[in-house]
Every structure is written in structure tokens, then in C-alpha cells.
Amino acid sequence: MLLAIDCGNTNTVFSIWDGETFLCTLRTSTHHARTADAYFTWFSTLINHYGIKTDITEVIISSTVPRVVWNLRVFADRFFDCRPMVVGKPECLLPHLPRVDAGTQVGPDRLVNTAGAFDRHGGDLIVVDFGTATTFDVVAHDGAYIGGVIAPGVNLSLEALHLAAAALPHVDISQPQKVIGTNTVECMQSGVFWGYVGLVREICARIRAEHDRPMQVIATGGLAPLFEQAANLFDVFEEDLTMHGLTVIHRYNKDNS
């Protein structure tokens, strides 16, 4: 079995893939000081709790937090006796090489989303990922990542408002009942929610115009369903897109080793 690990700036997700389906998906906060032993204690406790029988023989990792990778490597080596594939490292092959400016390092999460989206939907895509940052990844007709856009994440924007303005409280994002807020919380929620609706719609429209081809918009990330229901911004929502992309890259490496 394959253990796919996606380490983001806020959360780290572990999914067990049996070759046909994900048996389970576990989530923990990202912390660069967490040791391999601590990962295993957390992981094994939950696996036992859910009664999942696993025989993990392979591990693949995507991480936007470089300091975490070492402990995840040790975790894979010590407890599953395998050398993990790490997306972004030279030895981890990609189904399609990115076409970006020379010397540019593309985030592993964006490469993984590209691979997963192309495998499911073909090319000419915009992948919108609502994470710590809100990213827009442009996938060419042949499956190559050809650039994109990075904007502040929704929760990051809310936190910045709270921290920078003493009179503004911390609020959770939700779809407001109306655009015009009649109290501070409603005003903040309306500004962020409808502001991001406008941001996503405008950026996708400009990408389509610049790319000059019909394009599907694929959304992923925890907050994507909230915006999908409100504004019909996306063609498809993929909850497990990143994890699927990791299985695609793993399979490609196995087939070409």
C-alpha cells in the first residue's frame, strides 16, 4: 500500500491508497519540530482506533514546508522501511515538466494538483486551491504546468484584518445573508466573501482571455465548497485532488523506473 503525505503551511494530510481507493485520510497541524516518533504515535493511534489494517510499503511526500521533510523521511524509513519519493526532488519524475521561467522553483503542491487535475480532466484547466494561499494553476493542453497566480488565502486575509486593526474582531468566513452588513462582523464577512468571489471570477476570466482557449475551472481546498455553492465559480470541485495527484506521480515513477 501507498501512504501519500501532503504537507502544507497549515495542515499535513496522510492518505492510505490501496491501488484503487483511499482507505482513510488523516489530518494534523503542520509543525516543523514534530519528530518521526511523534508522527508515528499519532498515525498508529488513529489507524488502530479506526480498525484499519495496513501494510504500507511505499511513501510519497509533497511539502511546501522544507523543514518538515527531513522528519517525514525518517518516519518513512524507520517505520515502513522505505525511501519515500519527494515531489520536487530530481529523482522524483513528473508526468509533464513545467514550462516556466528558467530557474523558477514551482511549489510541489502546484505540481501535484496539476498532475491530478490533468489525469481526471485533461488539459486546458485552471486549478484553484483554497489553502493558506489561494493559488491558480494553469494546466496546458498537454498537461504541463505553465504558470499561475498566488493570492492571500481567505483565512489569512481575515487574520490580517483582525491583527492590523485593533477595533476589528476575529471572525469565521461564511456566506453572508446580504451584501450590506449592519454590524462589524457582517461587514467583514461580506467584504472577504464577496471580495474573494470577485477575485476568483476576475482572475479566471483574465486567464481564459490570455490563454485564448476554452478552459475548465477545477477547485480544491477546504473552503472551495462554500464559494462553489454561492456563486457557480467552478466547473468541478475535487476534494481529494492533491492526494490523487500524488498517486498519479507515484504511478508514473513506478512505470518509468
Side-chain angles (χ1 to χ4, degrees), residues 70-121:
W70 168 254
N71 282 323
L72 289 174
R73 280 182 179 271
V74 174
F75 166 73
D77 178 65
R78 180 176 298 167
F79 298 105
F80 304 116
D81 194 27
C82 70
R83 178 185 176 89
M85 293 182 191
V86 180
V87 179
K89 298 297 184 183
E91 62 271 18
C92 183
L93 305 176
L94 297 173
H96 304 90
L97 293 178
R99 294 196 292 272
V100 293
D101 293 346
T104 299
Q105 280 195 325
V106 181
D109 54 332
R110 309 185 81 174
L111 298 173
V112 171
N113 283 347
T114 294
F118 181 73
D119 183 70
R120 284 180 170 171
H121 303 285

Side-chain angles (χ1 to χ4, degrees), residues 42-99:
W42 166 83
F43 180 80
S44 60
T45 299
L46 285 178
I47 292 298
N48 291 333
H49 172 77
Y50 289 118
I52 298 170
K53 304 298 182 182
T54 64
D55 182 21
I56 294 168
T57 56
E58 297 175 286
V59 178
I60 184 168
I61 300 167
S62 168
S63 177
T64 59
V65 186
R67 289 193 295 175
V68 173
V69 174
W70 168 254
N71 282 323
L72 289 174
R73 280 182 179 271
V74 174
F75 166 73
D77 178 65
R78 180 176 298 167
F79 298 105
F80 304 116
D81 194 27
C82 70
R83 178 185 176 89
M85 293 182 191
V86 180
V87 179
K89 298 297 184 183
E91 62 271 18
C92 183
L93 305 176
L94 297 173
H96 304 90
L97 293 178
R99 294 196 292 272

